[in-house]
Amino acid sequence: MKKRYYAVLMTFIMGISVFLTAEPTHAAAKAVYIDPVAVTLYAGDTKKVTMYVGGEVSSADKWSSNNKKVAAVSKKGMITAKKAGKTTITCKTGFGYNLKCGVTVKKKLELSNYLNKNYKKLKKKTPEAKHLDENADPAGLGNVYVFETSSGTELFYRYDKKKKKIQSIQISSVSDDSRQKRFTLYGISLEMSVKKAKAALKAKKCAYVRKETYSGGRTRLIYKKNGHMITLFIEKGKVTAYQWSR
């Protein structure tokens, strides 16, 4: 009887041992996850990846990127996109397995070049476009005004039909979700700090013209390059809109 009892006990203990040392099951993997598991960013963007255990926010043992030149990740899961390409962010969970987040980084497009190249295409496919009557054009006949809204931005540009070129561009934030932008203008993007914006313009050899101050703490910084005017609209130390004009 005792032998049988000990045999059953040993079987039970061995079963518990196997359970504790086994690889994490599919059910366990579902209880521990990260969000998002895939993300597309533009160079300079940041994105937080969060680890969850049982639906609650938790901290990972280690975050890593298999290509830091494309995108790096901090100890707290903050991804910083650096240049166009693809990489994988790995979250070491401490539960014996790793979780992955696929990252695609795209190069930001120079706004004026993009619009001149894609004007006709944009004009056809943009449902929010408003083409004003030529008589309503304050800059003279032959110009078309178009509004395009997408991804938390509002885009305004004037197209000269005779010269077949964009004459002016303005882009601004229209929602809180405005950090990830696909465009840049002389290295400037929305939500960029004033310090970085000034450095970008200096690097592109844009000449400072003047600063204009308005009520509510709003300011405008005006630069010029090759006869073009670049205006930055500043609020709370960040670029909330910018304008380029011939």
Side-chain angles (χ1 to χ4, degrees), residues 16-17 20 25 33 41 43 55 75 79 91 96 99 122 131 142 158 170 178 183 191 205 208 236 245:
I16 291 294
S17 178
L20 292 176
T25 64
Y33 61 94
L41 303 172
K75 294 179 180 179
I79 300 172
C91 169
L99 301 174
L122 285 169
H131 309 284
R158 190 176 80 242
Q170 181 170 321
S178 58
F183 297 116
E191 304 299 314
K205 298 181 179 180
Y208 174 76
K236 297 180 179 179
S245 60

Side-chain angles (χ1 to χ4, degrees), residues 180-227:
Q180 297 178 26
K181 297 297 177 295
R182 63 183 300 186
F183 297 116
T184 185
L185 180 65
Y186 295 122
I188 304 165
S189 57
L190 293 182
E191 304 299 314
M192 178 179 280
S193 69
V194 176
K195 184 178 180 180
K196 287 185 178 180
K198 287 181 177 180
L201 290 173
K202 184 178 181 180
K204 297 293 183 179
K205 298 181 179 180
C206 298
Y208 174 76
V209 178
R210 65 180 181 274
K211 176 181 179 180
E212 298 177 351
T213 304
Y214 298 88
S215 60
R218 294 176 297 172
T219 60
R220 292 200 307 176
L221 300 178
I222 301 174
Y223 291 76
K224 67 178 180 179
K225 181 179 180 179
N226 299 329

Side-chain angles (χ1 to χ4, degrees), residues 76-188:
K76 295 184 178 181
M78 181 65 74
I79 300 172
T80 300
K82 295 191 173 183
K83 71 173 187 177
K86 292 185 177 182
T87 186
T88 300
I89 300 299
T90 301
C91 169
K92 187 176 180 181
T93 65
F95 292 91
Y97 56 96
N98 300 324
L99 301 174
K100 310 285 185 179
C101 173
V103 179
T104 300
V105 179
K106 295 184 177 181
K107 183 180 179 180
K108 288 193 176 183
L109 303 171
E110 170 57 32
L111 187 57
S112 57
N113 294 340
Y114 174 81
L115 291 177
N116 277 324
K117 185 178 179 180
N118 297 282
Y119 172 74
K120 290 183 179 179
K121 188 188 296 184
L122 285 169
K123 194 168 127 177
K124 288 180 180 179
K125 75 176 186 179
T126 307
E128 298 88 355
K130 297 178 181 179
H131 309 284
L132 303 185
D133 186 275
E134 287 185 343
N135 295 324
D137 180 7
L141 299 178
N143 294 307
V144 178
Y145 291 78
V146 180
F147 282 95
E148 181 192 44
T149 57
S150 62
S151 304
T153 65
E154 181 178 69
L155 177 64
F156 164 83
Y157 54 98
R158 190 176 80 242
Y159 181 76
D160 188 314
K161 291 191 292 185
K162 292 180 180 179
K163 295 181 179 180
K164 296 183 179 180
K165 288 184 176 181
I166 302 296
Q167 290 298 100
S168 67
I169 307 162
Q170 181 170 321
I171 188 166
S172 58
S173 306
V174 293
S175 75
D176 292 334
D177 186 22
S178 58
R179 297 185 65 186
Q180 297 178 26
K181 297 297 177 295
R182 63 183 300 186
F183 297 116
T184 185
L185 180 65
Y186 295 122
I188 304 165

Side-chain angles (χ1 to χ4, degrees), residues 12-74:
F12 176 76
I13 291 173
M14 290 177 65
I16 291 294
S17 178
V18 170
F19 174 78
L20 292 176
T21 58
E23 289 295 316
T25 64
H26 184 66
K30 281 189 173 182
V32 183
Y33 61 94
I34 58 173
D35 184 54
V37 294
V39 64
T40 298
L41 303 172
Y42 289 88
D45 289 344
T46 58
K47 180 69 176 180
K48 182 75 166 63
V49 182
T50 305
M51 174 183 165
Y52 294 90
V53 178
E56 299 292 329
V57 176
S58 183
S59 58
D61 280 4
K62 185 179 179 181
W63 292 93
S64 61
S65 170
N66 70 353
N67 193 336
K68 295 179 180 179
K69 292 182 178 180
V70 172
V73 63
S74 72

